[in-house]
Amino acid sequence: MLESLSVFINSLPTWLSHTVEVLIVAILFLTAMTFLIGLWCGLRIIGQRSKSIKEISFFPPKITFEHEE
């Protein structure tokens, strides 16, 4: 897939190929940042409630909290 994408980009005019390359890098960067922000927010939420964690299972992924009333 990367090879066909590279061939496609090289077949474009120079100014358009540079624009497409910048857009691809921007999409990859935004995807990585979205993942890291989601991970950070999730860990922050879990950290705030860490004293009430009852069980953590990985398959299926689930965290069970104790309910305080």
Side-chain angles (χ1 to χ4, degrees):
M1 179 173 168
L2 289 175
E3 187 176 332
S4 62
L5 183 63
S6 176
V7 170
F8 171 70
I9 290 174
N10 288 335
S11 69
L12 297 172
T14 305
W15 65 273
L16 190 56
S17 67
H18 291 304
T19 305
V20 170
E21 287 175 359
V22 168
L23 288 174
I24 291 172
V25 170
I27 289 170
L28 291 174
F29 176 76
L30 290 175
T31 303
M33 291 306 296
T34 303
F35 173 76
L36 291 175
I37 289 170
L39 189 63
W40 181 76
C41 290
L43 289 175
R44 190 168 171 210
I45 291 169
I46 291 171
Q48 291 174 350
R49 300 180 62 188
S50 63
K51 292 181 181 175
S52 63
I53 291 177
K54 181 179 176 184
E55 176 188 2
I56 298 175
S57 65
F58 294 99
F59 299 104
K62 181 173 75 172
I63 299 175
T64 307
F65 294 97
E66 296 175 357
H67 296 285
E68 297 178 10
E69 296 187 31

